[in-house]
Amino acid sequence: MAERPTRRTPRTTRARVVRKRYLSPRMIRVVLGGESLADFPAGAYTDHYVKLLFPAEGVRYPEPFDLAAVRASLPRDQWPVTRTYTVRAWDPAACELTVDFVVHGDEGLAGPWAVRAEPGDEVLFLGPGGGYRPSPEVDWHLLVGDESALPAIAASLEAIPGGAPARAFVEVAGPEEEQELSLPPNVDLRWLHRGTARVGDRLVEAVRALVFPPGEVQAFVHGEAGWVKELRRHLRVERGVPRERLSVSGYWRLGHDEDGWQASKREWNARVEAEQEGASEAPDAGVPAGPRGGAAGH
Ligand SMILES: Cc1cc2nc3c(=O)[nH]c(=O)nc-3n(C[C@H](O)[C@H](O)[C@H](O)COP(=O)(O)OP(=O)(O)OC[C@H]3O[C@@H](n4cnc5c(N)ncnc54)[C@H](O)[C@@H]3O)c2cc1C
């Protein structure tokens, strides 16, 4: 049974791998199912995410798993390690939750777990969290991401309301990583091939070169923290996009695992805010960051 969530002990769900397939050489789709998903509360946001729980090295937790008890009885370095993944799709009728994993080599926990995952394997996770969905109140939408944000961008593009125009840029390693997506009319999705360039360079170039359509934009910008910071600056300072129309955050950071990145993320975000909001000529500069106007809170 799912644990009743509280502020201190978020909901823990126990699921099993139902099936898995490669969408492309570097992207694996894992479909999870199981009884405790029955009342899974996804749907409010298109960037819903879960936090997969991996046991700390050498630690076995008593069954049934109880996160509150683990946190109360063990030192922090023995708590489960978390990895954050977008809910690419949630099908309440079939009780199936779809997660797409970037395969980024042998390093790490979650990427290699997805490579090894087999039907029947068990996984525990927290969530969902989330904070963005395309607003019906803007004139157009801009979505920008590397492959880690492709699941959220694809889910968001599928939910663009009222035929509003959307421009999306997704950077992937090469043409073999492009996915067939079924998108509403007025969505213009450009695939950018990284090749040997630094991650995100092509995205920054493409958005800098974009002639913005007239009217108010809502922007969703996620992926590796370095390029996300650069593009946030461009959108806030040079284009004057109001912060409440920006959902922007580093989903991962080159050279850091998720534990290291999460530990420094708050400070990183505060520094970005201080640098860029000081430089912004936009009329709302100085307004305290909301959960989405600054960095998303994951
Ligand atoms: C809200 C949110 C939603 C996310 N959704 C998704 C999603 O749907 N799919 C997805 O694949 N990722 C997603 N991510 C990113 C994912 O959480 C990180 O990539 C995470 O670090 C992967 O964990 P790991 O155990 O595989 O690697 P880690 O142990 O965290 O890192 C090991 C090494 O791999 C590097 N690395 C990590 N991720 C990547 C990458 N994508 N490309 C290249 N090198 C990398 C690290 O810098 C480190 O050097 C999301 C992140 C957030 C915050």
Side-chain angles (χ1 to χ4, degrees), residues 27 47-49 51 54 83-87 99-104 107-112 146-149 151-152 249-259 261-262 265 298:
M27 186 73 90
D47 72 340
H48 265 315
Y49 59 86
K51 289 193 175 277
F54 293 91
R83 292 291 185 264
T84 312
Y85 280 82
T86 301
V87 174
V99 182
D100 292 349
F101 293 78
V102 175
V103 179
H104 56 81
E107 271 188 81
L109 292 172
D146 59 41
E147 50 274 78
S148 67
S249 80
Y251 270 4
W252 61 284
R253 190 165 170 211
L254 209 55
H256 296 244
D257 64 15
E258 182 165 332
D259 315 293
W261 168 228
Q262 291 290 346
K265 195 168 176 176
H298 26 67

Side-chain angles (χ1 to χ4, degrees), residues 102-177:
V102 175
V103 179
H104 56 81
D106 299 334
E107 271 188 81
L109 292 172
W113 176 84
V115 171
R116 290 190 313 268
E118 297 285 349
D121 287 356
E122 192 176 85
V123 64
L124 289 167
F125 58 82
L126 307 177
Y132 164 89
R133 72 175 298 120
S135 164
E137 285 160 20
V138 295
D139 298 296
W140 66 285
H141 300 266
L142 175 66
L143 297 99
V144 187
D146 59 41
E147 50 274 78
S148 67
L150 174 54
I153 290 179
S156 301
L157 290 176
E158 288 164 2
I160 296 285
R167 304 295 302 267
F169 297 96
V170 176
E171 185 188 281
V172 291
E176 70 285 357
E177 292 300 315

Side-chain angles (χ1 to χ4, degrees), residues 181-192:
L181 298 171
S182 133
L183 300 175
N186 299 335
V187 169
D188 179 357
L189 165 61
R190 302 279 163 92
W191 297 97
L192 305 176

Side-chain angles (χ1 to χ4, degrees), residues 146 228 247:
D146 59 41
V228 165
S247 170

